[in-house]
Every structure is written in C-alpha cells, then in structure tokens.
C-alpha cells in the first residue's frame, strides 16, 4: 500500500493490491481496489481489473459443499 501513496493514479498498483486481497479472501477490500483500478483505466488493456471485479463479486457465493 506504500506504493499507492507514491503513485495514487497508477491503475496497476490498485489492480495488484486487489489481487493480493482476493488471494487472502478479503473480497470487500479487493472489490474496492478493482473498482478504483477500473475507474482509473477503463480501456480494453485493463481487462484484468474487470475480470477480477467479476470474480470477487461472484466467488463468495460459490462455497463448496463437501
């Protein structure tokens, strides 16, 4: 998050932070960072944020039943 203080308008930093939070299953924080990344760069070269946002919005509802 310190990198974000240095470059708050860098969409890649927001995307990477979102991926880290999604990895530890903190989906609410990941969603916030994916949304900010998409707001900063909503062109086709930022599909990673869009698919990440879709993932964190849908994934919590798919709980395995074993």
């Amino acid at each position: 998050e310190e990198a974000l203080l240095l470059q708050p308008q860098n969409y890649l930093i927001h995307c990477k932070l979102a991926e880290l939070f999604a990895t530890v299953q903190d989906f609410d924080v990941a969603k916030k960072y994916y949304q900010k990344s998409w707001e900063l760069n909503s062109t086709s070269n930022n599909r990673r944020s869009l698919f990440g946002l879709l993932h964190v919005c849908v994934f919590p509802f798919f709980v395995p039943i074993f």
Side-chain angles (χ1 to χ4, degrees), residues 10-57:
N10 188 333
Y11 75 96
L12 289 173
I13 295 173
H14 288 276
C15 189
K16 290 294 184 182
L17 279 172
E19 290 171 355
L20 290 172
F21 282 107
T23 300
V24 296
Q25 297 183 354
D26 192 347
F27 297 117
D28 292 330
V29 177
K31 181 180 175 183
K32 179 183 84 164
Y33 283 114
Y34 277 131
Q35 285 176 329
K36 185 62 176 176
S37 177
W38 185 250
E39 286 174 16
L40 292 172
N41 182 10
S42 58
T43 61
S44 63
N45 68 345
N46 194 15
R47 288 179 293 239
R48 188 175 198 142
S49 292
L50 188 59
F51 287 119
L53 187 58
L54 176 66
H55 178 265
V56 297
C57 289

